[in-house]
Amino acid sequence: MSDISERRKPPRDESRRDFLYYATTSAVVVATGAAIWPLINSMNPSADVSAQAVVDVDLEGVGPGTRITVKWKGKPVFIDHRTTERIELAQEDDTVPMIDPEPDAARVQRPEWLVVVGVCTHLGCIPLGQGGSEPVGDWDGWFCPCHGSHYDTSGRIRKGPAPRNLDVPPYEFTSDTRIKIG
Ligand code: FES
């Protein structure tokens, strides 16, 4: 295998992938406080899933290499505090042929933070890759097991039937350690 291939599959650091039970505070329903989004392998939006239009996320303590999932409008949003290696993997591939070409810089506001809607753009399954033991696909991003879509470290579709990259939700940094989604 080439050096490139080796870089596609860096040594796994299971600890850094440990899922954080992560609290978010709705800017809309302040009184209700936190919403918890546990590790999700499947999701059925249901009546009890509130459609919080704006979610304030505290990133304090989310170290490099950690991925967390928060809920926004009833959907999972993946937030990846990308390592330098993951950033480089994404940027190095900016010019290679892709199903839905898009430079990494167009998908992030700050290179170290990737924020994407965690819903496969094929038929809506929740891609794997957030949890420590989950497959991350051939590009160290996410893997949708429903029909085999592979996403890279920028959330771009690289292989499989999904027609486009994972969506980037509207969000903004309200400080160095907080973002507001929605
Ligand atoms: S829903 Fe993800 S590959 Fe089909």
Side-chain angles (χ1 to χ4, degrees):
M1 299 291 286
S2 69
D3 291 341
I4 293 291
S5 297
E6 289 304 313
R7 293 201 64 193
R8 297 279 187 231
K9 298 180 182 301
R12 299 289 299 273
D13 179 351
E14 299 300 339
S15 63
R16 76 183 187 182
R17 290 179 182 279
D18 285 349
F19 181 80
L20 296 183
Y21 281 85
Y22 209 72
T24 65
T25 304
S26 168
V28 174
V29 190
V30 175
T32 63
I36 304 297
W37 191 263
L39 175 62
I40 295 169
N41 290 323
S42 63
M43 174 187 169
N44 293 306
S46 57
D48 64 341
V49 176
S50 61
Q52 296 174 345
V54 179
V55 175
D56 185 44
V57 183
D58 185 356
L59 300 173
E60 186 80 44
V62 181
T66 301
R67 291 174 170 177
I68 63 170
T69 306
V70 299
K71 183 171 66 180
W72 171 67
K73 287 188 169 182
K75 305 173 192 172
V77 172
F78 296 164
I79 301 175
D80 185 1
H81 190 172
R82 300 192 301 182
T83 59
T84 300
E85 182 178 45
R86 282 190 183 148
I87 295 169
E88 289 176 353
L89 284 172
Q91 294 176 344
E92 287 170 2
D93 282 0
D94 276 352
T95 56
V96 304
M98 290 196 195
I99 296 168
D100 182 13
E102 192 176 21
D104 183 63
R107 297 179 53 74
V108 294
Q109 295 182 19
R110 300 184 183 185
E112 64 271 29
W113 293 103
L114 177 73
V115 182
V116 291
V117 176
V119 177
C120 181
T121 60
H122 181 220
L123 294 176
C125 289
I126 309 300
L128 301 176
Q130 292 293 91
S133 61
E134 295 181 354
V136 293
D138 291 351
W139 281 267
D140 200 31
W142 292 268
F143 173 68
C144 183
C146 292
H147 311 92
S149 287
H150 296 246
Y151 296 90
D152 68 12
T153 58
S154 189
R156 295 173 297 204
I157 180 64
R158 303 299 295 272
K159 185 169 75 174
R164 68 177 200 282
N165 304 330
L166 295 179
D167 294 325
V168 177
Y171 72 95
E172 64 176 319
F173 282 87
T174 54
S175 76
D176 281 345
T177 58
R178 297 191 82 90
I179 62 170
K180 183 174 71 175
I181 303 172

